[in-house]
Amino acid sequence: MRRFTSVFLSFLLFLVLLSHVSSRPPAVPARRSIVGETCKQIARDDPNVDFTFCSRSLRSVHGSDGADLRGLAMISLKLAVANATGAGSRAKALLKGGGLSRYYKSCLAACGDVYADAVSDLRDAAGMIRSGRLVDARVHLSAAVDAPVVCEDGFRDGGLASPMTEEDGDLMQLAVIALAITVRLG
């Protein structure tokens, strides 16, 4: 009788577990990440974009995976504006340092100017995207993409190492990401 009770209780436990498992709703397939998909496409199409950089940058903004493509464009623009603003502040701070050659100072001043222009171009592009003027937005974004190149070229032309290389690399990628997303908008 003991054996029968043990088998019976095991069978009941099995039935309870089986009914619990079978009553669960089916697993919902994971929603594809717009950030991941967009960054994958952009990195595939443009050698200047690193997938990991793109994903990390866009995902650093709360709600980016729930955004649509226009929202991602705006997020990438905000990131690029913040980067260009920070780079401009760094260039100004470096200008205050002592012992810099006249040429080095002129390079830093030029970088500060192109960063200010980039901020203006990026903000203009944001307004144009909002109003649906995508072709005009792309023109301003293309100008912002050139800003870090201009900064780096000044130092390189003088045979100097640029202190802005990291900022310029990040700004280049962020501006290219914003441009590539804007191109995908239409």
Side-chain angles (χ1 to χ4, degrees):
M1 184 70 167
R2 221 183 224 177
R3 181 172 165 96
F4 174 74
T5 305
S6 173
V7 170
F8 181 73
L9 288 176
S10 296
F11 180 73
L12 279 177
L13 181 60
F14 172 76
L15 288 176
V16 168
L17 287 173
L18 181 63
S19 69
H20 176 70
V21 170
S22 64
S23 68
R24 283 186 176 170
V28 176
R31 187 171 90 87
R32 293 182 99 161
S33 162
I34 188 170
V35 170
E37 289 297 316
T38 303
C39 288
K40 184 167 51 170
Q41 291 170 1
I42 292 169
R44 182 189 64 223
D45 295 344
D46 192 322
N48 293 312
V49 176
D50 176 71
F51 171 79
T52 303
F53 180 90
C54 179
S55 297
R56 281 188 188 151
S57 297
L58 293 177
R59 285 194 173 114
S60 71
V61 177
H62 178 72
S64 60
D65 261 328
D68 60 5
L69 202 55
R70 185 174 301 269
L72 281 187
M74 299 309 288
I75 288 169
S76 64
L77 282 165
K78 287 177 185 175
L79 291 169
V81 166
N83 177 276
T85 302
S89 295
R90 180 152 189 269
K92 283 180 186 176
L94 289 171
L95 269 170
K96 294 177 183 176
L100 302 176
S101 73
R102 183 177 293 173
Y103 185 81
Y104 197 86
K105 285 183 177 183
S106 72
C107 289
L108 285 171
C111 289
D113 290 343
V114 297
Y115 296 142
D117 290 344
V119 168
S120 178
D121 283 321
L122 292 163
R123 287 184 175 149
D124 288 346
M128 291 171 187
I129 290 170
R130 278 189 219 100
S131 67
R133 296 174 41 211
L134 300 178
V135 172
D136 294 332
R138 285 182 250 168
V139 171
H140 285 273
L141 286 166
S142 294
V145 168
D146 288 340
V149 175
V150 170
C151 178
E152 290 297 308
D153 284 349
F155 287 100
R156 188 174 14 263
D157 291 348
L160 300 171
S162 169
M164 305 303 296
T165 301
E166 185 176 342
E167 290 86 350
D168 286 335
D170 290 351
L171 178 55
M172 167 72 92
Q173 285 220 32
L174 290 168
V176 169
I177 290 165
L179 177 59
I181 293 172
T182 302
V183 166
R184 282 164 176 69
L185 288 173

